[in-house]
Structure formats: C-alpha cells, structure tokens
Amino acid sequence: MFRLRGISLLSWRAFQLRHFSCEPLVIQMQNCTDEEQIFGLIERNTATLSEHQVGCAFDVLWQFQKQKTNLGRNVECVRNHPQFLTLCNVTANHLETMSDHTLVNVLYIIRQFAVESHHPLVEALVTEAWKRLERFDTNVLSIFSTCLADQHLYFSPLMGKIADIVNRNLETIQDMRALSVLMVSISSLISRCFQERLVNKAELLFDTVDSSKVNTARRILLFLRNIKCSYYPLLERCNKVLTSSVSHLDLESISKILSLYQSLQFHSFEFIEVSRRRLMEMIPGSSGYPESFVRLFATLGPVAGPEIKKQLESTILLMSEELTSQQVLTVLGAMEDMESRNAHLIKKTASVLYKYLDNYKSIELLKVTQALSCLHFQNKEFFVKLRELILSRLEASITPSEICILVSALSMLPFPHFNETAISRIEAVLPQCDSKELSDFVSSLMRWIQNDHKCLANTTRKQLNLLQKLDHWGHHRLQQSNSLDLLWEELKSLKGEWLHESFVEESVAALQCFADEIDCTNVAKIASFLSKTNYLSTLLLDRIASVVVQQIEKIHPFSILAITLPFSVLNYDPPQRDEFFGACVQCLNSYVGTLDPITLVFLGFSLATLEYFPEDLLKKIFNIQFLARLDSQLANFECILDKRKKPLPYRSQSITPGKSPGIYWESDTSRVESSLPPESERCVLRIALEFLDVRAFCSNIPHLKGKSAMKKRHLEILGYRVIQVPYFEWNSMALSTKDARMDYLREHIFGAGKS
C-alpha cells in the first residue's frame, strides 16, 4: 500500500515538473510565489537565460519585496543569495541587447536591493545607459535620474546632461508623473529661469493628475522645497490632492508631507485637521512598536490636543529605554515642538540621550542643546559632558558650516563662558562664510555677551573686535550684490540685533537701488523683510503699492498678508491708498473660504491698524461659520490681548474732585502724584497716559508705528484723552530734573504751566 502511494506521489511530482517546464520561463517566473522558486528557476536555466528573462527575474523579486511591510522585507537575505549573484553575472553578459526600459529597470531594482554603487554591474549599467541617454523616452529617463540621485550624483556631468535633455524637450513632455521625478532629480543644478519654466509646466500639466496620484503631488512639494520656492498656485493644487487622499496615506507619508509644508512655510488648516484624525486612528496599532510610535509621536504630538499629548507622552515614557540614538533624538525634537512640561519624561529622555552623546554629529548636538534649553532641563553632569564634546569637535573642525553649528551650540549652554577656541575658529573661516553663517556667528556672540556674567574686560574686548570683523565681512558681501536676486540672498539671512544695529540703513539703501526690479514674483518677500526692519522707506513702500495695483492678477491671495504687513507695522498710507487696499481685498474675496482662519484674523487686524475696514471681509470674519472654523483650529481658543499675560501697556484713571490721580507707566511703575488745578474741580477727566519707548517708533524717523497709533484711536473712541509721551522727549536734557518732568506732565494733562 505504501509502495503504491509512493509511486503515485512520484508520478504526481513528475507531472507537475513536466507541466511547469513546458511553460515559457517568463510565465513560470510570474507564477512563482516566493524568492526560492525564482532562484530555483535561475539555477536550472543559468546557461540559457535571455535578457528578457533576466529582466523578468529582477522584476518579480522586487514585486515580492513590495508586497511586504517594511519590517517583513528580507532585502539583505535576497541580495546575499548565491543565485542572486548568479543573476547579476548573467545580466552583465546581456547589457548591450537589453531594451532601454529593461536596462534602467534592472539598475533601479538592484539599487533597491542595496547593491553598492561601486559594484561592477552597477557601473556597467550606468555606463551603458549613458551611451543611450539621448534616445531614452521621458519615463525611462526619469527612472534613470532616480538611480543617479540614489547614488548622490546630483551634481555629476551625467545629471547635467539629463537636465539639458529635459530643458530641450520640455515643451513636448506630457507625462506629469515622469516630469515630477525628473524635476526632483535635477533640482540641485538648474538655473532660476529653468526652475520657473518647470514650475509653469507642472502647473499646466497638473490637471492631468488624478486625486489618487499622491506621489506626484508629494514630489512637486519636494521640488519646490529644493528650489526654495513657495509657489502658491501649485502648492494649493498639491494640497487639494493630498487632503482628499489622507485616508489612504500611511504614517510615513503624512510625516513627510507635514515636514515639506513646514519647510515651504505653507499652512493648510484642512490637511492638518484630516491628518490629525487619521494619525489618532493609528495610535493603537503603533503602541507596541518603538519605530512606528516614535514617528507617530513626532508627527501627531505637535498638533494634538492636551489629552492626546498626555497619552502620547505616557506611552513614549514606557518605551524610552528601548529607543535608539536617532529615535530618542526624534522624541526630543517633538517634545520641543510640543513645549512639553512633563518633568519625568524630560529627565528620562535626557538620561537616554546621555548614553548616545558621543555618537551624535555636530548638527545633532546643536539640536540636543537647543531642545534641552527650550525644555528648561538642568543637569550639571550632562551639560559638562556636552560642553567638552562640543569643544573637542570645534578644535578639529575646518568648515564654516560645522564651526557655525558648534559655536551656536556652545553659546546655548547654561554656563556659556566665552572660549578662546571659539574666537580663533571663527576668525579662521570668516572670509569663507556666507551671510547666514555670519549672522549665526553674531547671534552666538550676542548670547555670550548677554549671558556670560563672569566675562572679563579683556574677553569682552575680544568679542567686540570679533563683532567688528563680522560687520566688515557682512558689509563686504552686501556690497558685492549687483542685482535684486543676489541682494535678496544676502538680506534674507540678516536677523535680530545685527540687522537692526548694523545693516538696516545699508540694506534699505541697497533695496532702493533695485526698486525697479520689484515685481509680482518678489513683492511679498521684500515687503516681509521691510516689516522686520522698522525702517520707513516711502520709496520702497510706494513701489510695492504700485506693483500690487498694476499686477494684482499675478499675485496669489496667500501673499496679501505679507504685502500689507509693512504698511500696517510702519503706519504708512501710500499715495494710491484706496486702489492699493482695494486691489488686496479684491484679490482675497474668492479665497476667504479657503484661507487659514488665523491668517484671516491677522489680515483683518493688519487692515484695521490702517483704518481700512472692508465690509465684505468683516462680514465673512464675524459670522458663526467662520468662528466655528477658528474654534476648531484652536483647541482651547481664548481671546488674550497680551500672550505674555502682562497688564495692558497703559492704565487709566478717572480724575474726580478731591482725589489725587495715580499715573502708571508701562516700564516704570513708579507713581507720580500731582494736584488738580482749580478750574478742574467740577469736571471729571478720563485720561490715558502712555510712555512710548523706542519700539513705538520707526528706526529712522520719529514716526509713530501702527499699533501705538491704533491704541490711541481706540482709547479716544472710549472717551479717553490720550497723552503719549515719546522716549526722546522724556529722556531729553530739557526733562533731566524731577521738577521739569512734573511740569511737563501738568502741561500735557491739564494744559497748565508750572504752578
């Protein structure tokens, strides 16, 4: 009986083998269910494998990997299999006879299996593809460009050749998917003009992208990020596709999209809302896996409500000991974004970080220092080790970027005692620094000077000498700019005290030289820069207003807030006031429903500062539907006049007969007593007295800025007589005595001279 059964099984196996072998080899490969079956076919047919069969074998092997989760993939096991090596050797013999698609597809797949760039087969495939480059169709060219990018060949002559082919054939390209791949690959080495042509082409073809093609939309975001261009029409279209597809996105995709939005300074209320709900659904499934939960913590934490934040922090605390060096760094960054005040979690995270400090790169040490400073972490042992590590790296560093990073980290430490090493390293690289690095060095030095209370006079002189050298090189770079585009590359890095104290006049003067180059493409960023300077340049503001009136149809509504801001901040009405504000509001009308609620509130405030109250805009803001959107965006929305929760910067007192008024200052709370003149005994005076410091005025002229002017109007509407005392009058020599100041106050309050 057992013999008969054995004969039967052998017969069945023979029948199966005969049936399997009768089929064409390609079909047999496609019918395989795992890698071992593919490798079995390769082993039995090594001598007869054709170029088509080789391509099919690679394709099926990669399909098996794509069907698995990230955790379930066995790329290394497949790559090290003897028959995979056999397949690579056979492939090398068929390169010249392979079709273009098969050749590039094989290159793409073996790179997915992490075969090294210097492997002979990879080099041979790249060389053969280079020979055929001009004849590749758009799809094949896009795949090949991805392979080169994967090998970090962004600036290679070969990538340059691909960019040239795309440039020559751009008008005929109709495949948006392939174009988006090429745009990302060549983004590092193309000119500004070529960038604009690609953006326009992508906008033209985008309507052919269906809502399920999220990868195409994401690649366009990546391209815009790479070329540092927030082109709103294209961003909006990408956002529409991505928002409608959130329910199909995984954690990694949502995380990458939010990161791209942040880099592009593009805020989508709708995408964040639907993403938050989608991410909350992932909490139960991620809790048991540190890798997944860390990414979820970093993505959901900064946008979650208080209860969800507590839940996330409790879970990450339990798995903190299991975290790798990169995972704990990601958690720390998320805690900084969340402004976490969970002392137990902060302490635990720092203890895990301490184990890995020696393994971190310089930029990662800066992130650690910055985050722990933000979280108010205090531990002497931790920061002593961190300081020693930063100093040792600084002594060995030779590149401006790394020195800049390490000096910045050093200045953020709790005890930022100035170091001779830092001075020598900064001075050594000054001629090589760009504007951003120079600006960062200045910020670090200013932190040192302000925080190092043990600073010796000799050290202070060295710091000031270094600041003078930084000023010199900053001015030198500014003077080298011979166009608005080049000037902007320098100006956008200027910030803080360095901008206001050293460069504001020269920066504005340089911009005035290129005022004719301001147009619809750069008007928003120039306006945004001016609003930070506190410098009133009527020439530039008039030019901005003129450009907006003439080119409003080319300006996106998302730019309107930035454009109106300097007029609001600096309290300036251009000659074309009505046309300018009318054009801005008209541009906004069709977008009010899609604009971020907070942006719309700030825009309304900006226009109100200038006493411009468009009826249609106000009606759209002050209605139940809009307030509901605003409320859903701000989980715990409350109207706070001053986010620092300090008293309003002016106090008022009703002055009645028989009482001495108390008058209070914003920055000086000493009370000034005075007696009423006889003629005021039968009247009740409502007086608001405000001391105006330097921040209330433009930096170049004593012109009152927008907020202080609006405050005065509001108090007058409430029936107060407002007396604003400018700092340059109060601190003048004429008011250097107490009696002189008392006379000044009496005169302004009561209209009387010295009694």
Side-chain angles (χ1 to χ4, degrees):
M1 176 176 163
F2 288 110
R3 284 182 184 174
L4 288 173
R5 187 180 174 198
I7 293 170
S8 176
L9 286 171
L10 287 171
S11 302
W12 173 244
R13 287 174 183 168
F15 172 77
Q16 275 192 314
L17 182 62
R18 188 166 55 251
H19 175 73
F20 200 61
S21 61
C22 288
E23 292 178 339
L25 188 56
V26 169
I27 295 177
Q28 292 181 45
M29 290 178 177
Q30 292 171 346
N31 289 335
C32 289
T33 57
D34 59 41
E35 291 89 350
E36 286 301 328
Q37 290 185 3
I38 287 286
F39 289 140
L41 289 174
I42 292 170
E43 185 178 10
R44 291 192 295 273
N45 297 277
T46 300
T48 59
L49 284 175
S50 68
E51 64 275 7
H52 180 55
Q53 292 163 348
V54 164
C56 181
F58 277 113
D59 199 44
V60 174
L61 285 172
W62 179 234
Q63 289 302 319
F64 289 147
Q65 296 300 314
K66 288 168 65 177
Q67 292 166 8
K68 300 172 184 177
T69 63
N70 288 337
L71 294 175
R73 289 185 176 180
N74 57 337
V75 167
E76 185 176 356
C77 180
V78 172
R79 185 182 67 243
N80 294 331
H81 195 286
Q83 295 309 315
F84 186 86
L85 301 177
T86 300
L87 185 61
C88 289
N89 292 332
V90 172
T91 303
N93 298 325
H94 292 294
L95 294 185
E96 294 183 1
T97 56
M98 280 184 176
S99 68
D100 295 344
H101 180 270
T102 301
L103 179 81
V104 172
N105 195 50
V106 168
L107 174 61
Y108 175 81
I109 290 171
I110 65 172
R111 286 296 298 157
Q112 299 308 305
F113 280 106
V115 176
E116 296 291 343
S117 300
H118 54 75
H119 190 283
L121 179 59
V122 174
E123 293 178 346
L125 287 164
V126 170
T127 302
E128 181 62 29
W130 194 337
K131 296 176 184 176
R132 309 183 188 188
L133 204 57
E134 288 288 350
R135 79 185 197 200
F136 281 170
D137 63 33
T138 306
N139 182 54
V140 172
L141 191 66
S142 70
I143 299 172
F144 184 51
S145 73
T146 300
C147 297
L148 296 180
D150 184 53
Q151 298 176 62
H152 305 289
L153 298 174
Y154 301 104
F155 299 99
S156 66
L158 188 48
M159 192 70 86
K161 183 65 175 175
I162 292 174
D164 178 60
I165 293 171
V166 175
N167 185 39
R168 285 187 277 115
N169 300 321
L170 188 58
E171 298 302 319
T172 62
I173 295 176
Q174 298 300 318
D175 184 347
M176 185 68 246
R177 186 211 64 79
L179 179 62
S180 67
V181 173
L182 288 164
M183 288 165 67
V184 173
S185 298
I186 65 177
S187 58
S188 300
L189 43 69
I190 57 178
S191 67
R192 177 67 58 85
C193 179
F194 193 10
Q195 290 172 4
E196 291 175 2
R197 290 182 62 221
L198 287 170
V199 168
N200 293 334
K201 182 68 174 183
E203 187 179 12
L204 185 67
L205 291 180
F206 201 89
D207 291 335
T208 64
V209 177
D210 100 28
S211 60
S212 65
K213 298 297 191 323
V214 295
N215 286 334
T216 298
R218 192 170 66 184
R219 280 191 292 267
I220 291 174
L221 292 181
L222 184 56
F223 170 74
L224 292 174
R225 194 278 307 273
N226 289 353
I227 66 171
K228 299 175 183 177
C229 172
S230 295
Y231 185 66
Y232 290 123
L234 204 48
L235 282 172
E236 266 193 295
R237 294 186 179 190
C238 291
N239 183 61
K240 187 176 179 180
V241 169
L242 296 170
T243 302
S244 65
S245 307
V246 165
S247 59
H248 305 296
L249 296 179
D250 59 15
L251 173 59
E252 183 177 2
S253 297
I254 294 174
S255 176
K256 287 181 178 178
I257 292 165
L258 287 172
S259 176
L260 289 170
Y261 279 168
Q262 185 176 9
S263 299
L264 291 163
Q265 297 182 329
F266 178 76
H267 185 81
S268 170
F269 166 64
E270 290 78 8
F271 183 80
I272 289 176
E273 278 297 295
V274 294
S275 295
R276 182 190 289 116
R277 292 195 292 269
R278 172 73 174 138
L279 292 168
M280 287 168 62
E281 294 171 0
M282 299 179 185
I283 293 177
S286 302
S287 298
Y289 305 97
E291 183 178 354
S292 298
F293 192 80
V294 165
R295 186 182 285 273
L296 181 65
F297 182 85
T299 308
L300 177 58
V303 297
E307 291 303 316
I308 296 297
K309 283 184 179 179
K310 282 184 181 179
Q311 182 182 345
L312 292 171
E313 287 179 337
S314 299
T315 306
I316 204 71
L317 182 60
L318 294 174
M319 59 177 64
S320 56
E321 288 292 347
E322 306 173 44
L323 301 180
T324 65
S325 60
Q326 290 304 309
Q327 288 169 352
V328 72
L329 191 63
T330 301
V331 168
L332 181 68
M335 290 167 63
E336 180 187 8
D337 293 339
M338 295 160 63
E339 298 181 352
S340 175
R341 291 297 175 261
N342 187 324
H344 190 191
L345 179 59
I346 294 171
K347 185 177 179 180
K348 188 65 177 177
T349 304
S351 70
V352 178
L353 279 166
Y354 189 83
K355 298 187 301 184
Y356 297 122
L357 277 182
D358 293 325
N359 301 328
Y360 287 133
K361 300 175 183 176
S362 297
I363 186 65
E364 293 168 338
L365 292 177
L366 173 59
K367 290 178 180 178
V368 169
T369 310
Q370 186 172 333
L372 291 178
S373 174
C374 174
L375 296 171
H376 307 296
F377 174 73
Q378 295 179 346
N379 182 289
K380 185 175 181 180
E381 181 186 359
F382 186 99
F383 285 116
V384 165
K385 179 177 180 180
L386 184 56
R387 178 182 173 82
E388 291 174 353
L389 192 56
I390 292 171
L391 284 173
S392 67
R393 298 275 183 89
L394 187 58
E395 289 174 356
S397 298
I398 58 173
T399 61
S401 58
E402 186 173 21
I403 291 171
C404 182
I405 286 166
L406 292 167
V407 167
S408 183
L410 203 57
S411 71
M412 292 179 186
L413 292 173
F415 35 91
H417 183 61
F418 199 72
N419 187 275
E420 294 288 337
T421 302
I423 288 186
S424 62
R425 301 312 299 141
I426 293 172
E427 290 180 335
V429 297
L430 278 182
Q432 307 167 43
C433 292
D434 60 26
S435 291
K436 182 182 181 306
E437 290 159 351
L438 292 173
S439 185
D440 288 342
F441 279 139
V442 170
S443 297
S444 299
L445 279 172
M446 295 305 295
R447 273 195 296 270
W448 257 316
I449 293 171
Q450 291 167 5
N451 299 330
D452 190 356
H453 304 299
K454 298 179 181 179
C455 194
L456 300 174
N458 184 45
T459 306
T460 304
R461 282 196 297 273
K462 290 181 179 179
Q463 292 172 328
L464 294 176
N465 288 337
L466 182 54
L467 280 174
Q468 290 176 350
K469 292 178 182 178
L470 286 163
D471 279 357
H472 166 76
W473 286 105
H475 285 290
H476 176 74
R477 289 193 64 88
L478 211 57
Q479 291 162 2
Q480 301 302 306
S481 306
N482 56 14
S483 70
L484 184 56
D485 286 342
L486 293 176
L487 177 63
W488 175 249
E489 290 302 312
E490 304 300 327
L491 294 182
K492 68 182 182 182
S493 300
L494 300 178
K495 58 188 177 184
E497 295 179 21
W498 202 37
L499 168 61
H500 294 128
E501 295 181 7
S502 301
F503 287 93
V504 64
E505 289 190 21
E506 187 174 351
S507 298
V508 173
L511 279 172
Q512 289 175 341
C513 293
F514 300 112
D516 291 341
E517 295 183 35
I518 298 176
D519 57 25
C520 60
T521 64
N522 55 33
V523 66
K525 61 188 182 185
I526 300 299
S528 181
F529 176 79
L530 288 177
S531 66
K532 294 188 297 183
T533 63
N534 290 329
Y535 191 102
L536 180 58
S537 168
T538 56
L539 186 152
L540 289 173
L541 291 177
D542 289 348
R543 171 62 182 175
I544 288 170
S546 175
V547 167
V548 170
V549 170
Q550 295 172 17
Q551 304 180 34
I552 190 63
E553 71 283 351
K554 299 178 182 177
I555 296 173
H556 196 275
F558 288 178
S559 301
I560 296 299
L561 176 59
I563 289 171
T564 59
L565 197 57
F567 296 89
S568 167
V569 169
L570 301 171
N571 191 27
Y572 178 73
D573 284 335
Q576 299 171 281
R577 169 190 161 90
D578 291 338
E579 295 92 332
F580 170 60
F581 292 126
C584 289
V585 172
Q586 186 64 35
C587 179
L588 283 169
N589 278 339
S590 60
Y591 273 81
V592 169
T594 57
L595 278 175
D596 178 73
I598 292 180
T599 300
L600 204 56
V601 169
F602 277 117
L603 184 59
F605 176 81
S606 180
L607 295 174
T609 305
L610 293 156
E611 296 186 88
Y612 191 81
F613 303 97
E615 185 177 350
D616 291 343
L617 186 63
L618 292 176
K619 284 182 178 179
K620 288 172 181 175
I621 292 176
F622 292 101
N623 68 59
I624 294 174
Q625 289 79 11
F626 176 82
L627 293 176
R629 289 183 67 217
L630 184 61
D631 189 50
S632 64
Q633 183 174 7
L634 301 173
N636 296 312
F637 177 72
E638 55 182 340
C639 185
I640 301 174
L641 293 177
D642 188 329
K643 67 180 181 181
R644 297 168 296 177
K645 299 183 180 178
K646 293 181 180 178
L648 289 176
Y650 51 93
R651 299 271 183 94
S652 61
Q653 297 287 334
S654 294
I655 303 177
T656 56
K659 292 185 179 179
S660 296
I663 302 172
Y664 298 87
W665 304 99
E666 177 182 6
S667 56
D668 181 2
T669 57
S670 61
R671 194 170 70 176
V672 180
E673 302 286 355
S674 65
S675 59
L676 293 171
E679 61 270 20
S680 68
E681 289 182 357
R682 290 189 177 86
C683 66
V684 176
L685 304 177
R686 302 186 72 196
I687 295 175
L689 184 63
E690 181 186 16
F691 177 80
L692 300 175
D693 65 10
V694 66
R695 294 169 297 180
F697 297 92
C698 297
S699 61
N700 56 322
I701 56 174
H703 176 75
L704 194 63
K705 288 165 63 178
K707 285 186 180 180
S708 296
M710 183 171 69
K711 185 190 301 179
K712 183 175 185 291
R713 293 196 305 270
H714 286 178
L715 287 169
E716 288 173 341
I717 291 170
L718 293 171
Y720 289 91
R721 180 161 161 254
V722 182
I723 299 166
Q724 292 181 318
V725 183
Y727 73 97
F728 48 82
E729 290 185 6
W730 187 254
N731 297 329
S732 66
M733 289 299 294
L735 300 182
S736 59
T737 66
K738 181 179 179 180
D739 288 343
R741 289 185 172 184
M742 293 300 293
D743 287 343
Y744 177 91
L745 292 176
R746 288 192 190 97
E747 182 179 351
H748 283 76
I749 295 173
F750 306 115
K754 183 177 180 179
S755 57

